[in-house]
Amino acid sequence: MSNDNGLFNVTEKHLNTGLRGIPVGTCRTSFVTPTEGVHYCGYPISELANQSPEDVVYLLFNKELPTPAQSAAFKEDLAGRGHVPDSVAAVFHTLPKDGHPMDWLSVGIQTLGMLETTGDWKEDALNLIARMPRLMGLLFRIREGRGSDIPEDDLSATMVKRFARTLDLDGIDQDQMERILSTYLVLHMDHGGGNLSTFAGKAIASGHATVYSSISGAMNALSGPLHGRANQSCLEFVLRIGTSDPEQVEAFVRGELEAKRPVFGFGHAVLRAEDPRATVQFALGEVMCPDDENFKIIRTLREVAPRVLSENPKISNPNANVDIASGALLHYVGFKDPTYYTTFFGWARVAGIGAQIIDERTVMRDGKGTPIYRPKYIAEQQTLRHVE
């Protein structure tokens, strides 16, 4: 791009619209198209779904998929970074058990930063990624009252295996859990530069706050019901339906619309087709849990809701988005409490936000980095006056 290219004409109608659609920067890790959804470094997400989370982290940081040798070296590097100090668990033991898991996650990340921050953007981002599996496992166990006899962390294992080992749930098919979590992490790692949590994390980092402070702030942004917590709301919505009968599902959807309540799991700001991340998860569910009651409900919803929603000409995309299937799959493999679902989203997004922070701090503007964010706000309903 040349410096004098016109990209956007800003008018008064764009004020107070949350910067929606207004260009503010460039992104090297991902982009979204209306028909193929999110792409990581040019690869459509549907082509990456079966990659290991570690290899996709490598892609986001290096902009190329690793060779087998690079993959092995990167996994070994992450293993050397993964130790989580015992004092993190001690902090978790002091937190209120009824605090939302996303608040715990934010506190945990901030705690890691207080314990060790190198000041090197890439080093700190990779360290945090490597420590997330153990942090997540500790969060689950201690918040649920299982804070004793926690297995030692096996740093040589994959990120997902380390989390599962720390969690140490009984009666769980470990292979199924690990496959669903691996797919989930890959599908959720990045989504362009302008989503709220990513933008918030980069904005905080632009003031040269640490990676840990920046990503902790990003997790707070992710926790809202209009952003990351939508996947929690979606599973709660599915549980409320309680049946996969098409007529009853349609009646429920119409009832929600008449009551002016959202139909969770459908629609997307950019996409104009079914989200490929939803398509991937539906295919995974058909293999792993086709007879699961919640999966049968979302299968019916996938057919019914777009047809009902498309009756409203104001709805530009009535199709399924990524949230419709993820909760049902997580529930199937043992995560019965939907209040935890956004923490998985946060775990995944740490990689994409971290990679984008590195780019904005060390690559953009020929290595000078993006300046501190300072958008223009125009004064309204104010006139000059003086104290009498």
Side-chain angles (χ1 to χ4, degrees), residues 147-168:
S148 59
D149 301 320
I150 299 175
E152 291 294 319
D153 194 6
D154 180 5
L155 295 175
S156 67
T158 67
M159 292 194 294
V160 171
K161 284 184 181 294
R162 286 176 57 207
F163 167 72
R165 174 182 169 84
T166 301
L167 198 59
D168 194 27

Side-chain angles (χ1 to χ4, degrees), residues 61-240:
F61 275 66
N62 296 282
K63 313 309 184 269
E64 297 288 348
L65 284 168
T67 65
Q70 289 169 332
S71 175
F74 185 65
K75 291 171 183 175
E76 184 176 352
D77 179 58
L78 288 178
R81 301 171 181 273
H83 175 69
V84 172
D86 292 339
S87 48
V88 173
V91 170
F92 277 163
H93 278 290
T94 70
L95 300 182
K97 295 294 191 294
D98 58 352
H100 195 279
M102 283 301 291
D103 295 328
W104 280 54
L105 180 59
S106 179
V107 169
I109 291 172
Q110 195 81 66
T111 301
L112 283 173
M114 287 188 281
L115 292 169
E116 181 191 33
T117 298
T118 71
D120 181 290
W121 297 105
K122 186 173 183 180
E123 287 297 302
D124 286 336
L126 288 172
N127 286 344
L128 177 55
I129 289 167
R131 293 163 189 169
M132 284 298 296
R134 184 66 169 182
L135 183 72
M136 285 282 292
L138 293 173
L139 185 159
F140 272 65
R141 288 195 61 131
I142 294 170
R143 189 176 181 277
E144 294 172 349
R146 297 194 302 125
S148 59
D149 301 320
I150 299 175
E152 291 294 319
D153 194 6
D154 180 5
L155 295 175
S156 67
T158 67
M159 292 194 294
V160 171
K161 284 184 181 294
R162 286 176 57 207
F163 167 72
R165 174 182 169 84
T166 301
L167 198 59
D168 194 27
L169 291 176
D170 292 328
I172 298 298
D173 187 316
Q174 291 293 119
D175 290 338
Q176 287 192 329
M177 175 194 284
E178 290 170 16
R179 184 176 177 188
I180 284 175
L181 282 181
S182 291
T183 303
Y184 185 99
L185 291 178
V186 169
L187 295 179
H188 288 78
M189 279 189 187
D190 208 36
H191 200 264
N195 66 80
L196 176 62
S197 54
T198 301
F199 182 75
K202 292 188 295 184
I204 295 169
S206 76
H208 289 194
T210 67
V211 165
Y212 295 91
S213 292
S214 302
I215 294 186
S216 178
M219 294 302 102
N220 292 332
L222 188 69
S223 70
L226 296 184
H227 190 14
R229 204 180 292 190
N231 65 357
Q232 170 186 333
S233 300
C234 191
L235 195 275
E236 292 168 344
F237 178 75
V238 169
L239 295 175
R240 282 173 51 214

